[in-house]
Amino acid sequence: MWRFAARYCRFGVRSERTMSSVPVAVVTGSNKGIGFAIVRALCKQFPGDVYLTARDPGRGQEAVAKLQEEGLRALFHQLDIDDLQSIRALRDFLKEKYGGLNVLVNNAGIAFKVHDSTPFAVQAEVTLKTNFFGTRNVCTELLPLVKPYGRVVNVSSMVSSSALRGCSQELQQKFRSDTITEEELVELMNKFVEDTKKSVHEKEGWPNTAYGVSKIGVTVLSRIQARMLNEKRKGDHILLNACCPGWVRTDMAGPQATKSPDEGAETPVYLALLPSDADGPHGEFLSNKTVRTW
């Protein structure tokens, strides 16, 4: 599995040619919870370098050490998806060291607790900043680096489906459209935040869940990105999907949830490791390894 990584050129520096041939996978927000479980599974099954990323280098290195104790080799790179400079530093690193990337799992996300007293408008702005806009920035910077036969997984949530059903018919139509553009989606996500600030979001047809709307954004963004890949890189056989990991016992969902983090990682890992001869799923929303109607 690691045969490429051991080759060095004469002066002890890995040669560009050799490094570019090592497959590489990146998982965002992966020092704990579902992200950590995804990294663990990829370390066991992916034939190349697996990068665990986190905002805090200390926590990231701790997580890598924990996997090391299990006999698994993950590598660490700092990444804060709220920080464009941090995203671009990772982009440049991957470009330079590997000439691109093979697997990207966008897992990083946040959620306020149900009984959190933070004003809803603040919750909306903060949640969308990370879950939608942060994820979109990672995609903008890293998707062009994805190599032929690459796999991209955007971790969304079934809450995006229930939140979609809670939207007005007009909004549902827009979010289900096969022709919606990324610009139009961004406009709608910004409108939600603005509407919450004016306390008119329900009147304007939005559901009362900032997390749900942020994940509508992730699912629809995935559908748009898959369409763009079809138009611009059809021959590259890249597969991109959104998925719901399920209700998983994490700091975010709490101890009552029905799935373990390893069980929650199953669908994202399945999509990250789709075989090279697979022509789908692509541009779909899945849970329990099954395509769901959007």
Side-chain angles (χ1 to χ4, degrees):
M1 190 186 282
W2 308 111
R3 64 187 183 279
F4 300 123
R7 285 193 210 147
Y8 291 80
C9 71
R10 259 173 62 210
F11 303 106
V13 179
R14 297 182 186 188
S15 74
E16 189 58 46
R17 184 191 60 77
T18 305
M19 281 315 303
S20 291
S21 65
V22 179
V24 60
V26 171
V27 184
T28 73
S30 50
N31 61 295
K32 62 179 182 175
I34 298 165
F36 182 73
I38 293 170
V39 169
R40 177 192 276 131
L42 289 177
C43 283
K44 293 174 183 175
Q45 298 174 61
F46 179 73
D49 290 352
V50 181
Y51 278 85
L52 181 152
T53 70
R55 284 179 298 188
D56 180 320
R59 287 181 184 169
Q61 298 287 9
E62 264 173 46
V64 165
K66 198 172 162 190
L67 289 169
Q68 212 165 356
E69 285 167 23
E70 297 176 26
L72 300 171
R73 178 183 179 271
L75 299 158
F76 175 72
H77 200 286
Q78 194 275 341
L79 176 67
D80 177 357
I81 74 165
D82 286 344
D83 177 357
L84 199 50
Q85 269 183 297
S86 171
I87 297 169
R88 287 178 173 161
L90 175 62
R91 176 201 66 189
D92 294 345
F93 168 79
L94 291 167
K95 217 175 189 169
E96 195 182 323
K97 189 158 184 172
Y98 298 92
L101 83 157
N102 303 84
V103 170
L104 171 63
V105 182
N106 282 307
N107 167 75
I110 61 159
F112 284 83
K113 300 290 181 198
V114 178
H115 301 297
D116 196 298
S117 59
T118 306
F120 189 67
V122 176
Q123 290 193 29
E125 187 159 28
V126 170
T127 305
L128 266 75
K129 183 185 181 206
T130 297
N131 294 4
F132 176 73
F133 290 103
T135 300
R136 176 178 176 248
N137 285 340
V138 172
C139 291
T140 301
E141 300 299 332
L142 298 190
L143 281 187
L145 266 63
V146 175
K147 295 180 179 183
Y149 299 95
R151 304 290 180 247
V152 181
V153 185
N154 293 331
V155 178
S156 184
S157 168
M158 283 311 274
V159 179
S160 68
S161 297
S162 54
L164 181 66
R165 291 193 295 273
C167 289
S168 65
Q169 284 304 312
E170 188 190 349
L171 282 173
Q172 286 188 44
Q173 217 173 346
K174 286 177 178 174
F175 288 132
R176 288 195 171 108
S177 163
D178 289 331
T179 55
I180 186 173
T181 65
E182 195 170 323
E183 291 67 35
E184 287 167 342
L185 177 61
V186 166
E187 215 171 282
L188 285 165
M189 293 291 111
N190 279 323
K191 184 179 188 300
F192 171 69
V193 173
E194 291 312 308
D195 286 349
T196 62
K197 286 177 184 173
K198 298 178 206 154
S199 300
V200 297
H201 63 281
E202 286 176 287
K203 189 168 131 295
E204 291 292 315
W206 296 102
N208 219 17
T209 161
Y211 183 75
V213 171
S214 76
K215 292 301 190 178
I216 288 175
V218 171
T219 303
V220 177
L221 182 66
S222 306
R223 285 161 56 89
I224 294 167
Q225 289 168 341
R227 227 170 56 218
M228 290 302 107
L229 285 169
N230 286 347
E231 287 172 23
K232 294 173 181 169
R233 298 185 63 182
K234 187 66 182 164
D236 283 352
H237 306 280
I238 296 165
L239 298 178
L240 183 154
N241 294 283
C243 70
C244 171
W247 192 29
V248 180
R249 290 187 293 279
T250 60
D251 289 352
M252 191 187 282
Q256 302 305 312
T258 49
K259 284 187 175 185
S260 70
D262 287 331
E263 288 168 333
E266 281 176 16
T267 297
V269 170
Y270 157 73
L271 291 170
L273 298 176
L274 286 168
S276 56
D277 60 355
D279 56 6
H282 178 58
E284 301 287 2
F285 176 64
L286 294 89
S287 66
N288 293 324
K289 301 185 192 174
T290 307
V291 173
R292 307 293 172 186
T293 306
W294 177 245

